[in-house]
Structure formats: structure tokens, C-alpha cells
Amino acid sequence: MKKAAAAVIAVVAAVVGLLLFLPTLISTDWARSELSRQLSSASGMDISLNGPVRLSFLPSLAVVTKDITISSQTGDLSAKVPGFSTAITLSSLWSKKLEIQSIALVDPAITITSSAKAAGAQPAPSGKADNDPFAALVGTLERLAVNRITIENGSLGSTDETGAASTVSAIDVDLKAPDLDREVVFSLAATQDGRRLRLDGTLSALRPILQRQPAKVAIEAKVEPAPSPLLASVKASGEIRLNADGGYQIQGGQFDLADQSFQLDALFQPGKPHRFLADLSAKRIDVGALASSGTGKGEPDNAGEPSLAMLSNIDADVSVTVDQLVSGALAASDVQFAATLRNGHLEANLQHLGLDAGSVAASVSADVTKAAPTFQGKLTSSGLDIGAMAKLAGQSAPLSGKITLDTAFAFRGLNAAGCAKVSTCGARSASARARFRWRRWPVKKAATLPA
């Protein structure tokens, strides 16, 4: 028995020793070419390991190398990775599925190029369309399991068909996706145009997303410096589905701003122009809380005129419904707002805002393609009760009755400070007209009226 135990120990020691010294016996060139072949075959991309390769076999196959190049077969995506390390399950090397426990990329530079030829290509006739790339990706991930991916200090440069370039830098990523059907945990941080965006969240599973089915997602986003303190931190959740046209759909979405909850259903369809549809609703909104959260250190007070030109590339239909809108002592109910954007022309309508004193409606229109667009519209009411209005304002009124408003207005630009400096700004407020109807107090109360 002792001899058998000793023999087993000797064999185990020999195997461990072999695994420890095996890397010194393996040709670096062979390891480099074999790993390149395995990774390229599993991913469907051209992957070349150009630098020295260092191997270890315990506790798993670990590979550390430098100077990796990656390119897609179509040539629209390429990457250079100065530093790369990975850990691979040994048994997966001779199985049908390659299991990579972790991949770490250091200082990767990724370039995406959209060719004019691809942009101008006509869609294939029905029945002859190219295979769904997401379906191909599902097949790839069935053969290639990547449990964790980390990226440190990456960069992403993209060029569209017109030659316009954009760059995202300081990209840090931590993605844990152990299986197509298990929860994905991700963390992403990146910097663009001087702003640092960080996203942390979870996705119920990858498979439904890649099969264009709804999947549950929850994210928390933080921006520094924030364009507004209101947008410094946002939490959102809901169901998301990626569509075959490159767009997405959100159902049952919920997000929080300044500790207030909103519900959202949205659809985005890419194209020329892009199309966006959204239905936003809330039970109760405190305007005062939103306003106080939206002031502070965001953009400087002397910032230039906000530009709305980017909206000219979008056609949109947006509706907003709020059961109760509160601002200090003033409360409104059944608030209904709708806006449409077509070819840069904005039409917005406050269809109903119910007050204890009556109801108010308004409309405004503008051409957002102009540098300082002119907003013009009108404000109307179906009858505001004078006594109720005075009570809401904490005052008393010597009159009773109702006021009917029919007021037109116009203003130019969105920068209030800039508008105040323009002498004609007030003159551009257009004309206002109002019709008042009231009834006289009874004679017996006339003596109580102030002189």
C-alpha cells in the first residue's frame, strides 16, 4: 500500500514538474502561430500575435504577449493591442468549444471605418439578404466562451462615409459574460470631448439580445463634468431589444432624475433622417426639485447660444403625460404635452394643463436649423377663475369671474442672458391680447370694497 501511494505521488509530481517546465520546451514560434490559428478560427477574424509569447500551464494555460493585430475580413474594423494576456482552460484546446477564462487588453487602439461604398449599397432583395451578423455571432460564441474581458486605457477612432472622424479615449471596460444564457455584468468608462462617462449595469442574458428578443437591462450612468447637475447621475431599467435595421426598442423603461421616477417606451430607427418615437409618463413631478437639481456648476453662465442644429438630422414624435405637476404651492393635473420634429421644423403643444382655477393650453413652433431660431406660439385658457387664482397666489381679489386668455408670443434663441442684452428682444415678444369677463360684486358688498 505504501509503495502504491508513493508511486501515485511520484507520478503527480512528475506531471506537475512537466507542466512547469513544458513552456521552456515549446517553441515560441509554434505557440504564436497555433494560438493565432485557434483565436482566428473561433472568432472569424484575422488575429496575429507578432510579439514574444510567454506561456504557463498551471493552474490554466496562461498566455502573455505583445503587439497583436486584429482585423475583420471586410476591413472595416482593425485594432492594435500593445499588451495582451489571457487564461485558457487546458481541456478546451482539444474540444469543440474554446473556453477563455479571461482576456486583458492594455492600451488597445481600435479603428472603425465606414466606406462610402457600403453606405451607398442598396438593400438586398427579400430572400437574398446577407446573413444576420448577430446570428453569426451566436454561432461564434457557441464555439468561443469568454468569461471575462477587461480593457485598460483603450481608444476608439471612427470615420464615417463622409470622412468625418471622432475619437473616444481613456476607455476602461470590465465585462463578465460567463455564458450566453447567464447574467452579464459590465462596467464601462470613456472620455469624449472633455467629458468622462461611466456606465455600470447588468443584462439578463446575451442570447436574447443577439436573437433580437427583449432582454432586461439596468444601468447607472455618471458624467463628469455634467452638462447639468440634473444629468450628473441617472439610473434606468427596462426591457431593450435590438432591431434588424440597427435601431432599438425600449419597453417598460423606468429612469430616475432628482429622485423622481419616469416611465418610458421608445423606438429608434436609424436612417436619413433618424427617427425617434417616445412616450414619457410620470405620476407626480416636482418642478421645483428638478429646477434646483438643474442649477449649479454645469455649463458656465457665459456659455454660447445652445445649438439645436443636431436635431435637423432627426424626425421625432414625443408625448408626455403627467398625472400631477407641482411647483411650490401651485399644482396642476392631467398634463398632456406632444411634440413633433420634421426636417428641422419643431411643433410643440401643451394640450392640457389643469389648475384649480381652470385649464391652460399652449403651442410653439420653430425652425431649429437656424443658429438662433425664433420661437413663436400662443397661450390660451378656457377660463381662469379669478378667486381661485388669487387663492393659489395667497392673495385676495376684489373681483369675481373668469379670465379668458388668447396671447401670442415670440422670442429668439434659448440663451436668456444673451437675449437680455439684445435691445430688440423685448420688442420681439410680439403682441398680447386678453379678453376679460367678470361680474360685478352685489351692491350690498360694495361698501366693503377698498377705495
Side-chain angles (χ1 to χ4, degrees):
M1 182 64 70
K2 291 182 179 180
K3 292 183 177 180
V8 170
I9 294 174
V11 170
V12 171
V15 171
V16 171
L18 179 62
L19 291 176
L20 288 175
F21 289 103
L22 187 59
T24 62
L25 304 176
I26 296 177
S27 167
T28 299
D29 292 337
W30 177 88
R32 185 164 49 235
S33 62
E34 181 63 17
L35 284 172
S36 297
R37 185 187 67 80
Q38 286 274 7
L39 292 173
S40 298
S41 175
S43 65
M45 304 182 73
D46 296 327
I47 301 178
S48 299
L49 281 65
N50 305 312
V53 177
R54 188 171 75 251
L55 300 176
S56 64
F57 286 85
L58 289 176
S60 60
L61 172 59
V63 182
V64 179
T65 186
K66 296 181 179 180
D67 299 331
I68 294 180
T69 59
I70 304 172
S71 61
S72 63
Q73 295 179 352
T74 58
D76 56 354
L77 184 147
S78 62
K80 294 182 179 180
V81 185
F84 172 87
S85 63
T86 185
I88 303 172
T89 304
L90 277 172
S91 59
S92 69
L93 291 177
W94 51 81
S95 69
K96 294 182 179 180
K97 184 174 183 178
L98 179 64
E99 182 180 358
I100 300 178
Q101 296 175 347
S102 64
I103 293 178
L105 308 179
V106 180
D107 300 327
I110 304 171
T111 303
I112 300 176
T113 304
S114 298
S115 64
K117 180 179 179 181
Q122 297 296 323
S126 178
K128 298 183 180 181
D130 293 338
N131 292 332
D132 186 349
F134 276 10
L137 187 55
V138 170
T140 297
L141 294 178
E142 293 285 8
R143 303 188 305 272
L144 173 65
V146 182
N147 296 338
R148 185 174 186 179
I149 298 176
T150 59
I151 297 176
E152 180 182 344
N153 193 36
S155 65
L156 172 64
S158 61
T159 305
D160 62 19
E161 61 274 10
T162 65
S166 63
T167 302
V168 181
S169 61
I171 300 174
D172 297 317
V173 175
D174 189 357
L175 173 66
K176 299 176 182 178
D179 191 89
L180 281 173
D181 300 306
R182 293 171 61 184
E183 183 181 65
V184 177
V185 180
F186 59 87
S187 175
L188 166 66
T191 301
Q192 184 175 27
D193 299 331
R195 280 199 171 94
R196 184 72 171 171
L197 170 66
R198 181 178 179 88
L199 290 176
D200 295 282
T202 60
L203 183 69
S204 59
L206 275 176
R207 189 184 298 275
I209 283 289
L210 298 178
Q211 293 180 342
R212 308 196 186 280
Q213 298 297 320
K216 293 182 179 180
V217 63
I219 62 172
E220 181 177 1
K222 295 182 179 180
V223 182
E224 294 181 357
S228 164
L230 186 64
L231 301 177
S233 178
V234 179
K235 293 182 179 180
S237 61
E239 283 191 348
I240 186 170
R241 181 175 67 186
L242 304 183
N243 298 327
D245 60 2
Y248 61 85
Q249 185 172 354
I250 298 174
Q251 293 181 322
Q254 179 174 321
F255 64 95
D256 297 330
L257 287 177
D259 296 325
Q260 299 187 72
S261 180
F262 299 81
Q263 287 73 48
L264 173 69
D265 291 324
L267 173 65
F268 174 75
Q269 297 174 323
K272 291 187 177 181
H274 303 306
R275 183 157 176 76
F276 181 74
L277 297 92
D279 293 324
L280 183 68
S281 62
K283 295 293 185 183
R284 184 180 185 275
I285 295 179
D286 188 336
V287 178
L290 289 177
S292 62
S293 299
T295 58
K297 292 181 177 180
E299 296 291 341
D301 293 338
N302 59 352
E305 176 69 34
S307 175
L308 300 178
M310 59 177 293
L311 297 179
S312 61
N313 297 321
I314 300 175
D315 282 353
D317 289 272
V318 178
S319 68
V320 180
T321 303
V322 181
D323 292 346
Q324 186 179 33
L325 189 67
V326 179
S327 179
L330 185 65
S333 60
D334 190 22
V335 180
Q336 301 174 25
F337 174 84
T340 60
L341 184 63
R342 296 287 186 277
N343 300 319
H345 185 74
L346 174 67
E347 291 281 351
N349 293 280
L350 177 62
Q351 298 169 341
H352 183 270
L353 187 148
L355 303 170
D356 291 340
S359 63
V360 176
S363 63
V364 64
S365 62
D367 184 355
V368 299
T369 61
K370 296 183 178 180
T374 297
F375 296 82
Q376 53 187 345
K378 64 178 182 178
L379 175 69
T380 61
S381 75
S382 60
L384 298 176
D385 184 87
I386 296 176
M389 289 179 60
K391 185 177 179 180
L392 288 174
Q395 303 292 327
S396 60
L399 301 174
S400 66
K402 294 184 178 181
I403 300 176
T404 298
L405 293 177
D406 185 7
T407 304
F409 63 87
F411 58 90
R412 183 174 58 196
L414 293 175
N415 191 324
C419 183
K421 297 177 183 178
V422 180
S423 60
T424 59
C425 181
R428 291 188 62 85
S429 295
S431 61
R433 61 184 183 277
R435 296 191 296 272
F436 300 91
R437 295 197 301 269
W438 66 84
R439 63 176 183 272
R440 295 183 179 276
W441 289 84
V443 176
K444 63 180 180 179
K445 292 186 178 181
T448 63
L449 294 177

